[in-house]
Amino acid sequence: MRAPETADPAPAAIEVRSLRKAYGEVEAVRGIDLRVARGEVFALLGPNGAGKTTTVEILEGHRQRSGGDASVLGHDPGRNERALRQRVGIVLQQTGVDGYLTVREVVQMVAGYYPHPRDTDEVLALTGLSDQANRRVRKLSGGQKRRVDLAVALAGDPELLFLDEPTTGFDPSARRQAWETVRGLAALGKTVFLTTHFMDEAQALADRLAIIADGRIVATGTPDELIGSGSAATRIRFRLPPSVEAPERFGAHRVASAWELETDTPTQSLHDLTAWSLETATELADLEVTRPSLEDVYLQLTAEEAAE
Amino acid sequence: MNDLALAVRQIGYENRAFWRNPPAAFFTFVFPLLFMVIFNVLFGAEAAAFFTPAIIVFGVVTATYTNLAMTVTIARDDGILKRIRGTPLPGWAYLAGRIGHAVLIAFLLTVIVAAFGALVYAIDVPWSALPAALLVLAVSAAAFSALGLALSGFIPNSDAAPAVVNATVLPVLFISNVFIQMENAPAWLDTVSHLLPVRHFADAMMALYASGADASLPWTELGVIALWGVIGVVAALRFFSWEPRR
């Protein structure tokens, strides 16, 4: 594709402009722009049906786009070129392997398709499958099979890894383990493009993320930027003795047995509040200041999109 | 590794996986012998001369057409094909691995049925016709493999695979001189059966078994089978799918 027109000297791993995909009358992806730098962990976050899988499958070469430009490691993914497939690893949402082969055989088989594969024992260790190496895939648990998916994607030592909802269906400890593996990949300098509908996953793993809703990107940035950019405010929460009302000027409202207020100037609000507390000798029990989470921003943004 | 080596290596993995399911492997080979025994009991020992080549045909068609249409559809539904599509392995090399393994099983079945016919029913293996027989077997195995892959493109999902595959293959076997001799069939049915490839495969094998030393190549039969093979390849290229359909 064409060179990036920005001054940014770092070559992009993925660059997408005005990407569109229609299935008949239905537009699943409605003109999105994305740029993923090399070595970055990028998350595409969105609710089910927002267009995440369609987008990632276009970038993987599994689907043809209806419009717009896409470049993956300098290749057009729509051409399904072998030179590109040699540099990319893919974990699809649902895939199978021959259940009668052992874990090691499957990884070795796939490694043989690539010009410079990663050592099989290394791949097994990286995905926590060393102990299962000689077991047949059909005998593994669901979580272990998902790790085989990841091991197969890593077998060719790809520069870029696509993970489509890599932890859906995992129990909490398996999720943490998978996160550690993804962080390990980032440490190896791999570019990772993942989709997820878990806010905490995006927040925990992604250097940058984009929120997709109804086929459009509604926000993009680092997790911190997104939290800061949202109109979701800092929340201050406290309890008062039953007989005491919070003065109206604080804009606080009752939430169950506590009081809550939202503010864009948390230092000032907290200062006013504690000053009043000292003056009137009213204790602010269980005082709590919380920043908006990515979840708040996400729910707000996706709700706005749905309302339009 | 070059692509040809990758294709051969793929046959090895298919083969390894096949033998790790012993009940499936066992009945793949016993099933045709069972038919042979039953037919010989029903129709008398003189029928063995007919049923030995006929069951070879049945075995080859089952091992290639039936087997590939079913297993490839299941692999497609399981996402195995889609995963392969995302790797640098060329699609043809993967399918060559599956076809290669199916053809291997078909040849093994042929040897077993021929040996069973010779040892149990004294139907001599037509050694003098061996080169011609190998050519007929090779062309047929290739043609029925291509037709099997093409058929998978018309099967919506793996649940439908057995019904669709059996509906396409069993009636054809019944009108193709395989299960039942066609000598008393009405002329129109005989004509229909001559339009299809199984009849020509069966007649060619029958002729080679009966020929003795003066075996000549059955060009007409080979031509019709090859033509169906070409139809299979064209249809497979057009309708074969790597993605699950739901």
Side-chain angles (χ1 to χ4, degrees), chain A residues 57 82 85 105 108 149, chain B residues 9 16 20 83 87:
Chain A
E57 291 206 342
R82 192 172 185 178
R85 281 182 279 141
E105 285 167 345
Q108 264 166 352
D149 286 336
Chain B
R9 183 170 171 269
R16 206 181 292 196
R20 284 195 187 156
R83 182 203 293 282
T87 72

Side-chain angles (χ1 to χ4, degrees), chain A residues 15 19 26 49 107 115 170 186 189 199 202 208 258 261 269 274 299:
Chain A
E15 191 144 26
L19 186 73
V26 186
V107 175
F170 276 25
M199 278 67 66
R208 286 192 324 115
L261 63 89
S269 302
T274 49
L299 290 174

Side-chain angles (χ1 to χ4, degrees), chain B residues 95-120:
Chain B
L95 293 177
R98 291 199 88 110
I99 292 172
H101 176 253
V103 170
L104 215 64
I105 298 299
F107 271 84
L108 202 50
L109 254 170
T110 302
V111 170
I112 290 173
V113 173
F116 193 80
L119 296 174
V120 180

